[in-house]
């Protein structure tokens, strides 16, 4: 056991939380940057997040090459992760999800804007990236670094980017933060969808969004949610003894 | 064991019911006024309601100060509770929730009105409180007594107040009553949302609302729901032997 | 054990099925006419359907008087059942439900019509009964035979009647049939709700409805659903060995 | 044990997956063509898919006649399967489902089109077959080969056909493929339903659809979903040791 173990254990918990909260399903994934080496990241081999165990975690160079000749089958779309780490040195964790409530906002001109306090973290209006704009007809999967870097570039100053007909990629300053925003994004999408049925709505103000985005990503008030989600996901026994 | 124990055990059950019925999740909370001392109330330490146990319950003065030097981490938003007790001496229990079906009614001009008999308890039209009206840009959290009292004042003669982009606060003449109205509010919101899609709808009449609001808050017909919700939440063994 | 036992065991199963399929919850109930005495019916004492056991079943005269001086707490709304049996001698089982998907059709002018084959059983267009039309402001509960008979009269030639702001009452030629239509009614309501968003829709034709309504209420093809629903509800061990 | 066993075990898994993913419920079914004899197919006896076991599997001639004088009660609608195999020699597996999210597209003029990458497999626009067009008033069930063949003919070059007021029939080049498209079809329907509320939407392009339809139906990237769905459905122990 090395001092990476707590971080890798939390990565397993994050996989299970995202599955249990319906952010990912058969597909979708979550990674962390190696806290000791910013040129590498950790991500499971090709396995649905609900089934991921500690032994499934692989290490990759930012260009997606497995470290140490690891020959296991990797996720085809791992380039989403490496390109996001390459783009922004502050990004320490990445989620890719197909959460269906978000999808209508990727195929229409309706912008996804934050309307609830817990989703302020998403920023004022995540951009929508259409793989066809640069790459034409594809399977819509992000399967190499050219595509990954084009996606990452579209993030600009945002932490989240929507992907047309596919899902979203979210980045965070910590694993806890990216899990939190990934859970809140579909919820915000559901609430906004209903509000749009009613007519004009009031989004969070720019000042409110900034205040939410600037909260300490690992503030103790957020441990409450991590503990709750982990326990619901059957990972209560993997939690350390930090009290929140 | 003191004679407060049955009330505190019911407070634990209420936490579990509200979690299991999807009224609260990682966040949200429920309190009771101390039945022996109207200047104090009981509320869990900072923990998600589904995980609350008897040992997590703290006691607070109405201004939010923990009693007896209890140093555990309290909910940041406990001021919602104290201010509601301060405002109305008949209020014996308070719920704060982020239930998402209610949220669209907090960010649009569409009023949330009771359309089903079991939601008559909510009153004819709960007001919407916008923290920004008095406090400008915030995280939207109610973090001191100034904000709590402003929220409580907006209740006026109502038992429920909606909070813009955040959730609702509900007050009850008993714990059973506030749990009941908190469960019914999201359901009423879902039904009204669909009815609004169809066009004109018939809300409960003022007379029907008054009759529902004046029902005995602990009538024996209501024990049926308490027993059912508690059993579903895994608390069947905590129920006393009262038959309903 | 008498020869009523198979019927009463099926009544317990029906309670559990309706709860597990989200047709009833804390409230709502299901009864059968006494197969040996058409002037009496069987219904649980006041308990949520998911919790009903064989020992909870009471027998009532059609006017709602408990048989044999049974002093247990009965459902306040048992008059829905007795009045339905009184109205139609072919009615052998009755369900009262608050299923929320049906509620929007009780408070708007949008008619609930059958659009899927499995809901043809509901008839071409169930009427909506508004308790206020004859009884003015009430709690909306059906608490005596005057109200029960007014509701039953509104059935006219229909098997189902919607109740404004409250729910529905369904009658069947057998317990299996009334359970089936009660499960299908909310599903049909959901599908119709979405179709109404799209615009014009094609309901079942009068001929299709008649063919569905005239199917043998206990045809062997229907046992498949009863077996499935009972097993899902944890009642597999209560099924008899009839194969379907 | 013969070499058919792996295929029949997978057919049992497919039944459980489709039930657990809410594609089928009390009704609906899945079959495979006999890999050794294209004139025959395997399908459960009349039992809800969640309850199907290896011993329930029957073998049929394409016209629906049970092989070997098997006297168990077959599905009334087995003709959907035989006619689909008869129509297209490449079809190796068939699903019939009533998944409710798809139903609104069968009773309105709104076409069901693929908007998410994982649903490209469904083709550009599945046709809608109305049994009444040729057969007039029926119970809407497909109960003989005349009806089955009329349905199969309506497939034309498509892999999926919607059935008015009833459900859909899906065909696949493999069992895994037909399960996958059957899971994705309701999801695509939900997303499209919301997008239609917002206004104009961008469907997958013809080139994107073709690329998705031409993917290897048993590509290793798809095993991830099969493993996940099977595990969620409680069939993890029935999986073989193929790694994906």
């Amino acid at each position: 056991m090395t001092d990476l173990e707590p971080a890798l254990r939390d990565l397993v918990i994050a996989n299970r939380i995202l599955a249990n909260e319906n952010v990912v399903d058969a597909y979708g994934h979550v990674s962390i940057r190696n806290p000791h080496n910013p040129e590498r990241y950790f991500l499971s081999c090709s396995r649905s997040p609900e089934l991921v165990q500690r032994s499934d975690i692989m290490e990759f160079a930012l260009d997606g090459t497995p470290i140490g000749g690891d020959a296991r089958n990797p996720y085809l779309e791992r380039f989403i992760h490496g390109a996001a780490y390459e783009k922004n040195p502050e990004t320490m964790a990445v989620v890719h999800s197909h959460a269906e409530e978000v999808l209508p906002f990727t195929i229409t001109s309706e912008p996804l804007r934050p309307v609830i306090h817990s989703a302020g973290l998403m920023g004022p209006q995540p951009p929508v990236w259409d793989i066809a704009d640069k790459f034409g007809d594809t399977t819509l999967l992000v399967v190499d670094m050219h595509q990954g870097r084009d996606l990452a570039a579209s993030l600009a100053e945002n932490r989240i980017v929507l992907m047309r007909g596919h899902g979203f990629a979210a980045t965070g300053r910590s694993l806890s933060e990216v899990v939190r925003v990934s859970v809140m994004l579909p919820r915000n999408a559901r609430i906004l969808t209903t509000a749009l049925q009613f007519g004009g709505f009031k989004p969070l103000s720019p000042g409110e969004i900034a205040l939410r985005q600037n909260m300490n990503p690992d503030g103790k008030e957020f441990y409450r949610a991590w503990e709750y989600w982990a326990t619901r996901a059957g990972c209560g026994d993997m939690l350390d003894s930090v009290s929140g």
Side-chain angles (χ1 to χ4, degrees), chain A:
Chain A
M1 180 173 292
T2 78
D3 58 355
L4 276 170
E5 285 306 317
L8 296 177
R9 180 205 58 199
D10 281 352
L11 181 56
V12 173
I13 294 175
N15 272 275
R16 306 279 186 82
I17 287 175
L18 292 169
N20 194 56
E21 300 296 326
N22 296 311
V23 178
V24 296
D25 49 22
Y27 298 96
H29 15 83
V30 52
S31 69
I32 53 170
R33 194 193 288 268
N34 184 329
H36 298 180
N37 182 347
E39 298 301 315
R40 295 181 176 183
Y41 64 94
F42 293 105
L43 178 69
S44 173
C45 66
S46 178
R47 189 171 297 286
S48 296
E50 185 173 304
L51 307 181
V52 166
Q53 302 186 343
R54 168 66 185 88
S55 56
D56 293 317
I57 306 295
M58 299 174 68
E59 189 174 13
F60 295 92
L62 294 192
D63 70 0
T65 307
I67 299 298
D70 191 331
R72 285 178 291 179
N73 190 22
Y75 291 126
L76 283 179
E77 295 197 292
R78 63 192 178 282
F79 307 100
I80 295 170
H81 299 260
Y85 293 122
E86 201 178 70
K87 161 80 162 58
N88 186 343
E90 291 186 7
T91 292
M92 294 304 289
V94 175
V95 165
H96 171 53
S97 157
H98 302 169
E100 68 179 68
E101 299 92 333
V102 173
L103 267 294
F105 294 92
T106 76
I107 58 172
T108 64
S109 58
E110 190 65 54
L112 181 56
R113 301 177 64 188
V115 292
I116 56 172
H117 70 320
S118 49
L121 197 52
M122 68 185 268
Q125 187 176 320
V128 180
W129 176 76
D130 188 342
I131 193 171
D133 287 346
K134 186 157 177 182
F135 301 97
D137 285 337
T138 65
T139 60
L140 281 81
L141 302 177
V142 175
V143 296
D144 61 36
M145 280 304 280
H146 288 103
Q147 295 175 337
R149 284 175 182 140
D150 193 57
L151 171 65
S154 75
L155 272 168
E157 300 309 307
N158 296 282
R159 294 183 187 169
I160 287 179
V161 57
L162 308 187
M163 302 161 77
R164 193 265 302 170
H166 183 166
F168 68 84
T171 65
R173 296 172 293 168
S174 75
L175 181 61
S176 162
E177 186 179 69
V178 82
V179 166
R180 203 160 58 245
V181 77
S182 297
V183 170
M184 293 305 166
L185 203 63
R187 181 177 305 183
N188 187 82
R190 285 193 296 269
I191 292 167
L192 178 55
T193 295
T194 300
L196 286 165
Q197 175 194 323
F198 294 167
F201 67 93
K202 181 171 186 175
L204 296 193
S205 74
E208 288 168 340
I209 293 168
L211 282 166
R212 298 294 307 194
Q213 288 202 297
N214 292 333
M215 290 175 88
N216 175 356
D218 295 303
K220 69 181 177 181
E221 65 273 32
F222 297 129
Y223 183 75
R224 194 193 327 167
W226 183 263
E227 178 196 35
Y228 169 68
W229 289 327
T231 304
R232 275 160 60 90
C235 297
D237 60 330
M238 298 174 68
L239 290 170
D240 57 24
S241 57
V242 174
S243 67

